[in-house]
Each structure stands twice: as C-alpha cells, then as structure tokens.
Amino acid sequence: MMLLKMKIPALLRLVLTLVGFWGAFRIVFDVILGELIPASLLTMYMFFVAAGVFMVFTFTEKGTRELLAPIKALVEDPTKKMLRNIVFVIVPLALGAVIWQVSMPSFEAPVELRSIHPAPPSSVKVFGKRFDLRTLKNPYRVLEKEDPEQFSELVAEGAKVYIANCQYCHGDKLDGAGPYAQGLNPTPINFQDIGTIAQLQESFLFWRIATGGPGLPSEAAPWLSSMPVWQNFLTEEEIWQVILFLYDYTGHRPRSFESGESGESGEGH
Amino acid sequence: MFAARTLFAFSCLVLLALIMLPSGAQAQSADADNGEVVYFERCVGCHGDEGDGLGPAAERLNPPPRDFTLGQYKFKTTGFDDIVPNDVDLIRMIRDGMPGTAMPGWSDVLSDQEILDLVAYIKIFAALDEETPSDQVDYGSQIATSPESIAKGRELFLQDDRCAECHGQEGRGDAIKKLKDDNGERTWPRNLTKPWTFRASNAPKDIFSRISVGIPGTQMPSFADPVSKKKLTIEERWHVANYVASLAETKKVVAPEKTVIKALKVSDALPTSPEDALWQTAESATFFLVPQIIAEQRFFMPSNDTVTVRALFDDETLALLVEWDDRTKSIPGDAKAESIANAEMSEDAIAVQFPVTIPSGMEKPYFLMGDAANPVNLWHWSSGSTEAPETVSLMDASGAETLAAREAAPAGMAGEGVYRDGTWRVVLRRALTTGDAENDTQFAEGTLIPVSIFAWDGSNSEVGSKHTLTTWYWLRLGAPGGGSSYIAAIIVALSVGALELWWLYSVRRRRVAGQT
C-alpha cells in the first residue's frame, strides 16, 4: 500500500515504460522466437513505440509539466549546480560517441531481403509448350485414389529422380541440408518445413522446378538462387513424378485449386 | 530402528535398479523385419534394393554408397583381420553420419531402436548376422597428448614415408601415388589438417582405431598387422594419433557469418609473392566450394572443398591471396603428376569473379558467370604445363557460354602461384581503376563489392564447366574509422554543448530579470 501511494516521478515512469517495452521485445522476438526479425527492424519498432509513449505522457499540459519538472529543476535550481555540471558534460560526450559509432564504416554485409514464394506468372512456356499455371494439375495425382499401385510406382520413380538429382542440395532427408547446402546462399528449401511445399500447389512446384532460379521474378533475387533449370535435364513426366515423391516422403498434402487458396503468398521469411 | 529399515529398503531398491538396468538394455533386441521396413523407406535410394550400393546416384557419388553384400565396413573397431564389425561401429555411422560423404546422420529422424533394427537388417546382406567378432582393437593404455608425444608421432609419421606416402609431408593428403579402392573407384587420402572431413572424429582414440584396423576396402592399411613392414607398437600408435590430432588447421573452418573479405590498406609495397609475410596482417575468410551441378555439363565429384582469401591494397592496386588445399599439383606433361591424375589431366586453375558494374541496389549478375544484362570479370590464373609457364588472364562473361579471355597486362593485372605441401597459394593483382569502366570492374574504397570464386582441380578431370564454385560474397576495401566520422562526432558534441550553455544563459537572464 505504501508503495502505491508513493508517487513515481513522471520522467522515471517514462524511462521505466520504455525499458519495459524494449525488454519485452527482446524476450519475445529474440529469446522466445529465436531472433525472428533483424535488429534494424526491432530498432525501428522501438522508435515508434517510444514516439507513442512520449505522446501519451505529454498529452495534457500538466503531464508535460510533470515530465519536464526534474529537467527544469536541474537547470534552474542553484542547489543542483554540481549535478547539472556533470550532466552537461556527459550528454554531449555521449552523443558524440554515438555519432562516431554509427558513422563508422561497417564491414557487415547488408541484409538482403528476398521474397521466398513470389507470385507465379499466370502461364509459363517450358518443354516447347505453354502451361496455364492457374489450372495446371499433376496428371498423376488422380491415380492416388484410382490406381494406388501404379501411383506408388510413380512415387518410386520420383524417388530415383530425387536421389540422382536433388539430394546434393535439398538433402536425402528432404530437410534442405544436403552435403552442399552450407555452401549455398540462399540455402536450398527444406521441404519438411510446413512453410514450404505444404503451402503450395503442384503447379507452383512445376513452375519452380522447370524454370529454377533464373525463372524467378526479380523480387526473389533470381541471380542468387542455385536452383537448376530442370527442363534442361528432366522430362515433363519426371518433374511430375518427383513432385509426387516430395509430398509422399514428407507426408504433406499439396494445396488444391478447390480449396480456394492459391500459392500466391508473397511473404519473405 | 526406523531409519535403519528405510535405509535397507532404499538400498534394496537401488540394487534392484542396478540389476534391472543392464538387463533392460539387453532386452532391447533388434528386429530385422522392422529394419527392412525402415531400410526401404530411408536407405534404398542410395544403398539399393539388393543392398549392393547401386542406387540411382551411385555414379555421381565419391565415395559411392556402401555395397552391403560385401560385408566390408570401413570404420570398425574389431581386429584388423576380422571382417565382422561391432554393432556399435555401425550404429555410430548411421546415427552420426559420415562427414565428407553423401551419408547423412539419421539420429534426427530415426529412434535408437530403429537404428538397431537397421543394423540387424543390413548385416543379413552379407550373412554377418550369425557372426560375432572374434577380435577387438587392443588400445593398451592411452598415452595423453604432449609436445613430446606429438614430436615422436611426427617422426613415426614421416619415417620411411609411413603415412606421408599417402597423406603427404604435412598431412594434406597430397599423395605421391594414385589410390583406388577394391572396386577400382578413385579414393583420395584424407586431408588430415581438416578433421571435420573425417568420417569418424579426430579424437586420438578414433585415429588409433583407424591406424590399427586400417580402412577396409581402401588402400589405407593396418599398422597393427605384424607382417607389415611399417607396423607400429601400441605405444607408437598413440604417439601418431596424438600427432595427427594436432594437425587440425582451424583457420580453414568455414565461419558462416563471415561473408565479407576485408581488404587492408598498406603503406609498404604490396606483396607480389604468395609467401610474403605481409599477407598475415590481413584477416582471412574461408568459403565452401560447391561442385557445379547446376548448368549443362554438370560435375558431381569434386576434390577441392574450401577456399581461403585475403586482400590488401594501396593507392593504386588491389592484391588478393587465394589459398586452397589441392592434393595434386596438376602440370600437364609432367610424368609424375600424370601418373596420379585421373584419365585426362588439365591445369589447376582459379578464377575470382566480380561484377563489371558494382551494383547500387540488390541486383547482381547471375552467380554463374553473369547474365546478358549484368556482365562479370573473371581474374583467371592457371598452373601451366611443362611446355608453358603459369598464365594470368582477364575473362569477360555475360553467361557461362559467352566466356572469353583477353590479355591481363593492359588492365594492369598480374599474378603468381606457389604449390607447397598440398596447398596452392596464388596472388592476383590488378590496378584499382582502369580507363575502361565499360569492361573492367572499378574498385573504390568503402563500398561492398560482390565477389565469388571458381576452382578447377586438373587432376580430377575438372575443366571448362566442370569445376567448383562459391556463391556471391563481399569484398570491402578500407579500414573502419575513417577521418570524417570523428569530425562529425566532434561537431555534434560541440553544438550540443553550445546549446546547453545557451540554455543556462537564458535561464540566468530570466532569473536576473525576475529579481529586478
């Protein structure tokens, strides 16, 4: 009860609130979610929060006066002369140091944000034909119900295509950790992750596999992707088979047109 | 009385638990039928329906997937003349995987029980399931590592070329003879300075096992075999193991966060020789080399795995030191080099790729030698043959198929390479700026410049599109802390100080005004 009655000075309250927000941000985004967003973005969020908090504190004239009271006292109260002198020396030095830090040329590489699942084109020309990606379906998918035996043979064919061509990068566990994955940037997609093929239609995969990295639109940084252009190495049938295998091995289901969802999610992880 | 009884009951419980534990572990028996199910789900792709290692990727992997029908296991701890492995040896390889090969560790997707079942199943391919090992590696008592032990080990390593014959004087696997395994497949002796490529680990005990047993199916022999002319006693094997463990070159470990080559400005003369001591002042960056399995004429079986780069510059010139372990010095025409090489030998080569125009935004040239809109320069060096000396050339490309070489000297470019004990060190230098911004990359201090590297091991049939490469990294010229940054800092500090004084002054004036 005593504590509640004791009034915390407004300036201290402001500082405590900001520290509280910052701590919560760090705990949620860095510790719990494992450095989900880059530090620069976190700084930007914090800036908005600080601006908001400041506005709340200075909403009324009384509030503003209360907030500024200790600062005003520091400058105007002759008994605080010693403290004032100290503060007045430290503040410019600290600001100078911050400027020096910030303007120092850094050796850090820039963060390159690329869209991982960009919107696909409406149609694509591969194998000398034009495919309409809005309606394109895996011709073998119907066999899953109609002829399970033939279907599993096709899956096995897809497995062979995968081991011979894809595992070097995407890994033989389909976890994106093939023997050469570490040397590639961006890293090969982890098909086990529910954020990848589980969110996509088979037509999207067909487009991506047939046209590879160079087939990406510019927001997905096609110049970086080491994903090969598979229409140069595989047949149309082999691509559909390897797609069957990707879903079969991971246990994911492709998105279908019927569910009304499309794979056109443009989020960057 | 009560306390004594509780103590008694407690001791009984502990005893019971102790008795139960080992028998509990034994009760965990292996189920080969379940092993078969898991095998066909997870392993068949590489090791094949029949366990013969002839999966669809067999011809693209070196080492190839193991043929289980031979019953020959490489990394085992049973006696050298006993073909039967211990279950724990197989469990370990399956659980942890075999670094440097396509064989991954399975502990993240398979339970201990499943791995046990698999071991029971794969042993059936060679009828090893009925067998028990008759003989184990005798470790005697381990000799702890010490400078003396390491020195003794080095002596034994080099003595009569015991290990150096295959692993090279400094252990980098720069063999003096061509090695093939029992199936005629090319094998490369391990580079002992890169322990992260060991299938087992470089703990002295693992190395001791390898020296004692050898690596069955390959030319790596047993040094415990009494008929071997180069055999080693238990004590000697511990010294060699301690020596091999000491060879790790941690500088060559790839640090994933290190994506920028920091070029250091020097006031002394820029080094022209790869062996100049000045290079040691520059920080090194090491990158993975990935085989070119992306575009036509793919290449699947690389021998080079990493490349290390350092950079120095002065007012006029940029100099790069590119360093990579290569087991073979490939000089076409040299009889000894040709006896080690795969069928046709080409020159060893390296190329450093830069965009012709340093991008201001995100967009870079396609990492595989550029594209029509974004051409690249390649600083190319090749090792030369008995007929011609090493060559340095400048290459232009806007896509791999357009690659064309021109003379390096007009652009102020030169280079020099030295091969020693399994390592190439090549210096490449070029003027920071040339008069031709249309065709040559122009280097400026302070900007981030995309850079990547291509490498060819001529003895490993690497030529043309068959090579290894890195993805784009960065090069930056200039040390941090330029003059302008502290001038800005001083200006800010001074103006804030002035504002404070003005504030104080106005307060005082107001007070004086109030008093009068």
Side-chain angles (χ1 to χ4, degrees):
Chain A
M1 282 333 267
M2 272 301 285
L3 263 177
L4 280 184
K5 272 187 204 142
M6 222 167 69
K7 197 157 173 4
I8 308 173
L11 188 62
L12 188 59
R13 259 189 291 146
L14 179 88
V15 172
L16 285 179
T17 316
L18 288 180
V19 170
F21 266 109
W22 183 76
F25 268 28
R26 291 298 300 268
I27 289 172
V28 172
F29 289 108
D30 286 0
V31 182
I32 300 180
L33 298 177
E35 309 210 354
L36 185 70
I37 53 177
S40 54
L41 209 58
L42 210 61
T43 314
M44 207 166 78
Y45 287 171
M46 200 54 220
F47 178 78
F48 288 128
V49 169
V53 170
F54 199 73
M55 258 152 65
V56 170
F57 271 78
T58 56
F59 193 63
T60 62
E61 202 155 316
K62 179 162 163 279
T64 316
R65 233 181 297 126
E66 233 179 89
L67 192 68
L68 294 181
I71 301 175
K72 210 161 165 233
L74 183 70
V75 181
E76 296 184 357
D77 186 347
T79 61
K80 294 205 173 125
K81 200 169 159 192
M82 185 66 186
L83 184 64
R84 181 197 69 203
N85 287 350
I86 294 173
V87 170
F88 270 30
V89 170
I90 290 176
V91 167
L93 286 182
L95 274 173
V98 168
I99 296 290
W100 186 62
Q101 276 287 328
V102 169
S103 62
M104 205 151 72
S106 109
F107 273 133
E108 295 313 307
V111 186
E112 294 185 295
L113 289 173
R114 61 180 281 278
S115 165
I116 291 176
H117 295 136
S122 59
S123 73
V124 59
K125 191 157 182 257
V126 284
F127 300 110
K129 281 181 276 179
R130 188 158 281 287
F131 293 82
D132 186 346
L133 292 178
R134 290 164 305 186
T135 54
L136 184 65
K137 286 185 179 161
N138 190 335
Y140 300 131
R141 183 57 68 187
V142 289
L143 296 172
E144 194 171 13
K145 283 208 191 84
E146 289 171 9
D147 188 350
E149 203 166 306
Q150 202 199 339
F151 185 79
S152 57
E153 273 166 29
L154 290 165
V155 171
E157 285 305 312
K160 286 189 193 150
V161 173
Y162 186 87
I163 287 289
N165 295 287
C166 320
Q167 53 91 12
Y168 315 94
C169 297
H170 292 285
D172 40 6
K173 291 178 278 184
L174 278 64
D175 54 2
Y180 303 126
Q182 283 174 292
L184 300 170
N185 178 21
T187 48
I189 294 284
N190 170 357
F191 300 125
Q192 301 283 3
D193 187 310
I194 50 154
T196 64
I197 58 170
Q199 305 296 323
L200 303 170
Q201 294 168 350
E202 291 184 287
S203 62
F204 186 95
L205 265 67
F206 182 82
W207 163 58
R208 285 308 324 278
I209 297 169
T211 66
L216 286 166
S218 65
E219 71 265 29
W223 51 88
L224 295 178
S225 171
S226 56
M227 171 71 176
V229 181
W230 288 105
Q231 65 163 328
N232 295 343
F233 302 103
L234 301 177
T235 64
E236 201 181 321
E237 291 73 31
E238 284 171 322
I239 293 182
W240 289 122
Q241 288 160 2
V242 77
I243 292 174
L244 293 186
F245 170 73
L246 296 184
Y247 284 105
D248 185 81
Y249 193 92
T250 56
H252 294 315
R253 301 293 309 167
R255 282 226 179 162
S256 61
F257 294 106
E258 286 74 39
S259 65
E261 309 271 11
S262 76
E264 302 184 15
S265 49
E267 85 276 20
H269 284 258
Chain B
M1 190 52 203
F2 175 73
R5 217 185 294 160
T6 337
L7 197 69
F8 177 72
F10 183 70
S11 328
C12 283
L13 267 175
V14 170
L15 244 165
L16 201 73
L18 280 178
I19 295 166
M20 297 269 293
L21 255 180
S23 70
Q26 262 158 27
Q28 197 191 18
S29 68
D31 175 2
D33 291 339
N34 184 47
E36 182 173 4
V37 174
V38 181
Y39 181 88
F40 276 89
E41 189 185 351
R42 304 279 187 184
C43 323
V44 70
C46 286
H47 293 287
D49 290 343
E50 317 278 330
D52 52 10
L54 292 179
E59 287 184 357
R60 292 179 175 169
L61 299 176
N62 181 321
R66 188 59 39 77
D67 176 354
F68 295 137
T69 63
L70 298 176
Q72 203 168 39
Y73 290 96
K74 283 186 179 175
F75 301 95
K76 65 184 194 70
T77 57
T78 56
F80 67 89
D81 50 0
D82 185 357
I83 187 176
V84 188
N86 287 317
D87 284 359
V88 287
D89 300 335
L90 303 191
I91 290 172
R92 178 176 173 190
M93 289 301 135
I94 299 170
R95 191 189 57 207
D96 302 339
M98 304 169 76
T101 78
M103 170 76 185
W106 293 92
S107 58
D108 55 341
V109 290
L110 299 179
S111 68
D112 290 351
Q113 181 63 48
E114 284 171 316
I115 291 176
L116 217 60
D117 298 346
L118 275 168
V119 168
Y121 177 67
I122 61 177
K123 284 200 296 188
I124 297 176
F125 287 121
L128 288 176
D129 50 322
E130 306 285 301
E131 313 270 339
T132 43
S134 55
D135 190 20
Q136 297 291 330
V137 171
D138 181 2
Y139 293 95
S141 58
Q142 179 165 358
I143 295 170
T145 188
S146 65
E148 297 77 49
S149 169
I150 289 175
K152 279 186 202 154
R154 178 172 170 83
E155 213 169 287
L156 294 162
F157 186 96
L158 296 173
Q159 187 187 62
D160 300 331
D161 261 353
R162 184 178 275 111
C163 312
E165 173 193 12
C166 295
H167 291 286
Q169 294 294 309
E170 301 301 326
R172 295 207 183 85
D174 41 327
I176 50 174
K177 58 186 201 182
K178 184 171 181 173
L179 301 180
K180 294 200 165 169
D181 71 8
D182 291 1
N183 291 330
E185 191 79 28
R186 180 84 207 224
T187 49
W188 298 104
R190 201 78 71 246
N191 181 342
L192 301 176
T193 65
K194 293 182 170 176
W196 52 94
T197 63
F198 285 19
R199 315 305 187 232
S201 79
N202 78 329
K205 190 169 177 194
D206 277 325
I207 300 169
F208 185 100
S209 306
R210 296 296 84 74
I211 307 172
S212 305
V213 183
I215 301 185
T218 77
Q219 281 176 310
M220 165 89 185
S222 159
F223 292 89
D225 186 345
V227 305
S228 164
K229 279 197 224 104
K230 296 180 182 173
K231 85 176 194 358
L232 296 164
T233 64
I234 291 180
E235 195 191 315
E236 287 172 330
R237 273 177 264 151
W238 279 117
H239 294 316
V240 174
N242 287 336
Y243 170 63
V244 172
S246 78
L247 289 174
E249 286 184 326
T250 45
K251 273 244 169 79
K252 290 182 187 153
V253 183
V254 176
E257 71 287 353
K258 227 184 197 180
T259 55
V260 182
I261 304 163
K262 303 173 184 178
L264 194 68
K265 190 159 191 171
V266 292
S267 41
D268 306 342
L270 272 185
T272 50
S273 156
E275 304 199 303
D276 196 308
L278 199 59
W279 286 113
Q280 296 313 314
T281 59
E283 200 180 300
S284 68
T286 298
F287 308 124
F288 283 113
L289 285 168
V290 173
Q292 197 289 95
I293 54 173
I294 297 143
E296 203 44 276
Q297 287 305 317
R298 291 181 287 171
F299 169 65
F300 289 94
M301 298 200 229
S303 58
N304 296 329
D305 57 1
T306 61
V307 59
T308 301
V309 192
R310 289 181 170 81
L312 296 171
F313 71 107
D314 62 14
D315 289 330
E316 269 117 48
T317 309
L318 169 65
L320 303 173
L321 175 68
V322 187
E323 208 174 322
W324 72 104
D325 287 1
D326 178 337
R327 293 182 183 82
T328 47
K329 182 182 182 185
S330 315
I331 304 292
D334 182 283
K336 203 169 126 251
E338 290 196 327
S339 73
I340 303 174
N342 285 352
E344 335 98 57
M345 178 166 69
S346 317
E347 296 175 30
D348 284 337
I350 197 95
V352 184
Q353 175 178 252
F354 295 106
V356 170
T357 313
I358 312 287
S360 49
M362 265 259 291
E363 184 169 355
K364 296 175 194 160
Y366 185 48
F367 71 101
L368 260 182
M369 303 191 180
D371 52 76
N374 303 283
V376 295
N377 273 175
L378 290 152
W379 296 7
H380 186 271
W381 169 92
S382 73
S383 61
S385 64
T386 46
E387 257 111 69
E390 60 180 359
T391 50
V392 173
S393 57
L394 240 171
M395 291 188 169
D396 302 300
S398 25
E401 63 289 344
T402 68
L403 195 65
R406 63 178 144 115
E407 253 182 87
M413 190 179 148
E416 181 183 331
V418 171
Y419 185 83
R420 187 177 313 251
D421 292 326
T423 305
W424 272 116
R425 289 189 181 79
V426 174
V427 169
L428 287 167
R429 303 153 47 102
R430 209 211 72 184
L432 289 177
T433 53
T434 69
D436 187 2
E438 193 98 325
N439 294 304
D440 296 328
T441 314
Q442 307 296 314
F443 296 90
E445 228 170 299
T447 48
L448 281 162
I449 300 153
V451 59
S452 74
I453 291 167
F454 299 77
W456 289 260
D457 176 358
S459 295
N460 191 35
S461 315
E462 298 181 26
V463 64
S465 72
K466 302 192 169 179
H467 59 81
T468 49
L469 68 142
T470 74
T471 54
W472 282 123
Y473 291 96
W474 302 98
L475 169 70
R476 175 159 205 163
L477 279 61
S484 58
S485 68
Y486 69 81
I487 293 178
I490 290 174
I491 291 176
V492 166
L494 284 181
S495 33
V496 172
L499 269 174
E500 284 174 345
L501 288 181
W502 179 77
W503 188 4
L504 271 185
Y505 171 72
S506 62
V507 166
R508 187 160 308 154
R509 243 193 20 196
R510 240 182 296 142
R511 200 183 303 140
V512 172
Q515 274 164 5
T516 57

